[in-house]
Amino acid sequence: MKVSGLRRKSNLNNEWNRHFVLGYTDEETVMLDFDSTSFKTVKYWALRALKWFKLEGFIILKSSLNNYHVVFNRTVSWKQNMKIVAWVALQCHNRLVEKWFLMQCIKEGSTLRISPKLDKPSPRIVFRYGKENGQIESFLRFRGLMKNIIRKLKGD
C-alpha cells in the first residue's frame, strides 16, 4: 500500500494562513488587544494599567500596522482580569478595545493571536517593561512551542 504526501513538504505556507489561526487563551493572564491604535497610545495605557493594578511587567506585540497586543506578568483571577480589561476599555475610550473585552467575557477566556493570519505575520515583540517571570514567561513558552510546530508543519 502506497501513501502519498508523507515524504514531501506540504504546501501549508498558503493553506495554513488561509484556514488556521492559533491563539493563546487563558483566564489568569491580563491581555489587551488594541486595533487601530498608535504604539505611543498602547504603551501609555499599558503603563497606566501596570501601575494602577500592580501587574509587575508587560510586553507589547505588534500584530499588524497600528494593531498591538499587550500581555501582563502578574497572575490574577478571571474576575480581576475582566475588571482590569474593563477599566482600560472604559478609560481609553476605544470602541474596538471595548468590543474585544465583550468578546472575551462571552468566551470566558482571553485570547490573543500567535500565528500568521491571512496576509498578517505572527505578532512580534516590540517593547518589554518590568518583570517577565510569571504569565509573560508562560505566554512566551507556549508561543515558542506553537511557532516551532507551525515551522515544522510548513517544512521550513
Side-chain angles (χ1 to χ4, degrees), residues 34-91:
F34 285 91
D35 287 340
S36 300
T37 308
S38 72
F39 172 76
K40 183 178 176 180
T41 300
V42 173
K43 184 177 168 188
Y44 171 81
W45 286 108
L47 283 167
R48 285 222 30 212
L50 172 103
K51 291 175 183 173
W52 190 259
F53 296 101
K54 299 176 178 65
L55 296 172
E56 298 176 350
F58 64 87
I59 58 173
I60 299 175
L61 300 99
K62 185 174 185 171
S63 61
S64 59
L65 183 63
N66 288 323
N67 296 304
Y68 297 91
H69 299 164
V70 183
V71 179
F72 291 93
N73 193 57
R74 185 168 66 87
T75 303
V76 298
S77 67
W78 174 245
K79 182 178 176 180
Q80 181 74 0
N81 189 343
M82 290 300 93
K83 175 183 175 179
I84 295 165
V85 176
W87 182 86
V88 173
L90 291 172
Q91 291 290 316

Side-chain angles (χ1 to χ4, degrees), residues 24 29-35 37-39 42-43 46 58-72 112-115 121-129 132 135-136 139-140 143-144 147:
Y24 179 81
T29 305
V30 178
M31 299 185 277
L32 299 168
D33 189 346
F34 285 91
D35 287 340
T37 308
S38 72
F39 172 76
V42 173
K43 184 177 168 188
F58 64 87
I59 58 173
I60 299 175
L61 300 99
K62 185 174 185 171
S63 61
S64 59
L65 183 63
N66 288 323
N67 296 304
Y68 297 91
H69 299 164
V70 183
V71 179
F72 291 93
L112 291 177
R113 178 173 63 86
I114 59 173
S115 71
S122 295
R124 71 181 196 285
I125 299 170
V126 294
F127 189 79
R128 298 173 115 107
Y129 183 88
E132 295 184 16
Q135 296 305 102
I136 292 173
F139 171 82
L140 293 176
R143 177 177 172 258
K147 288 180 88 168

